[in-house]
Amino acid sequence: MSNDHVYKKVELVGSSRTTIEDAIENALVTANESLELMEWFEVTQTRGHIENGKVGHYQVTLKVGFRISGS
């Protein structure tokens, strides 16, 4: 048996009215409800929506890697 792993990447977009970190957390918490074995993420884009000259919400695009379980 090998200790090598195979991963799949999916792209997620999380948003938050408060912080970039909350946008990341929101994406991961929600994805965790349907994806198993998530192990890492990388932020690929950060952007936001402007309302009345201020930040309305932050939007963060993530690539999330999860391990493919073997048989």
Side-chain angles (χ1 to χ4, degrees), residues 3-40:
N3 286 333
D4 296 333
H5 300 291
V6 174
Y7 297 90
K8 179 167 179 68
K9 289 194 297 188
V10 297
E11 189 171 79
L12 305 173
V13 179
S15 65
S16 169
R17 288 199 168 272
T18 54
T19 66
I20 291 168
E21 290 82 3
D22 283 348
I24 294 168
E25 200 69 35
N26 290 341
L28 294 175
V29 166
T30 302
N32 192 52
E33 294 173 7
S34 60
L35 294 175
E36 296 179 0
L37 305 175
M38 290 192 307
E39 294 199 0
W40 55 267

Side-chain angles (χ1 to χ4, degrees), residues 1-2 4-6 37 67-71:
M1 194 178 278
S2 172
D4 296 333
H5 300 291
V6 174
L37 305 175
R67 192 166 16 103
I68 303 295
S69 61
S71 49

